Amino acid sequence: MLRSELLRIRTSRATAAIAAVVFAEAVVGGLVVSFLPGILKALIRLNDVIPNATQADRMSPETIDALRLGHENVQATVADPAGGFGLGFSAAVIGAVVLGAFYVTNGYRHGSIALNALVQPSRIRLLGVKAAALTITVLAACLPLVIVRAGILAFAAAAQDVGGTLGMADLAGIWLR
């Protein structure tokens, strides 16, 4: 029964769409945070060409320096697969919640919940199998996110010639969280 529930999640178009959005956010967000001081300097130079094009020139040099990849908190933000980049939300967490909502309502929308209840009359076991399938799917999606974020952190650190200020224990704690 667990295998059929995993197959149902894996073959869903909603799962593919949510995974694409979450991975795109992980890549784009990680790269933007990694190279944020350079992006801000480019925006400040844009103000020289187009007056008042951005508000980036109002940032103090200390603030821009605090956003460098050499700082431990910036590296932790880049490495965090569930990071919201200070926006107040995380695409990975929202994606997991939306996937869960689609998965739960899908059985009622298509009437398959009645067939599942006939096959497995114990509601507790049926809900447990569905919860286990969703948990396995979300955990399986976290591993590639961790790999993507670790790759972005390594790439950005090598490109900017910055050493890692986070130890492996710190990174493991961030990834397990």
Side-chain angles (χ1 to χ4, degrees), residues 9 14-15 18 92-109 130-131 133-135 137-138:
I9 292 173
T15 304
I18 291 169
V93 173
I94 291 173
V97 169
V98 169
L99 178 65
F102 281 154
Y103 177 60
V104 168
T105 60
N106 191 33
Y108 293 100
R109 192 171 48 237
K130 287 186 172 289
L134 190 58
T135 302
T137 302
V138 170

Side-chain angles (χ1 to χ4, degrees), residues 25-26 29 76-93 149 174 177:
E25 183 270 340
T77 301
V78 172
D80 189 3
F85 301 114
L87 300 174
F89 66 89
S90 167
V93 173
R149 287 301 183 91
I174 290 169
R177 180 177 52 94

Side-chain angles (χ1 to χ4, degrees), residues 36-151:
L36 192 57
I39 294 169
L40 289 173
K41 288 178 184 175
L43 289 173
I44 291 170
R45 280 187 246 125
L46 180 65
N47 283 340
D48 296 338
V49 177
I50 304 170
N52 297 323
T54 68
Q55 301 293 322
D57 58 346
R58 295 188 180 162
M59 294 181 74
S60 69
E62 295 82 24
T63 303
I64 294 174
D65 184 57
L67 298 173
R68 283 185 315 106
L69 189 63
H71 293 288
E72 186 174 310
N73 57 349
V74 176
Q75 288 185 7
T77 301
V78 172
D80 189 3
F85 301 114
L87 300 174
F89 66 89
S90 167
V93 173
I94 291 173
V97 169
V98 169
L99 178 65
F102 281 154
Y103 177 60
V104 168
T105 60
N106 191 33
Y108 293 100
R109 192 171 48 237
H110 297 293
S112 63
I113 193 73
L115 296 174
N116 286 342
L118 288 173
V119 171
Q120 179 53 256
S122 171
R123 289 183 182 173
I124 297 298
R125 180 154 184 211
L126 180 63
L127 292 175
V129 167
K130 287 186 172 289
L134 190 58
T135 302
I136 289 168
T137 302
V138 170
L139 289 176
C142 286
L143 184 62
L145 277 178
V146 166
I147 292 169
V148 164
R149 287 301 183 91

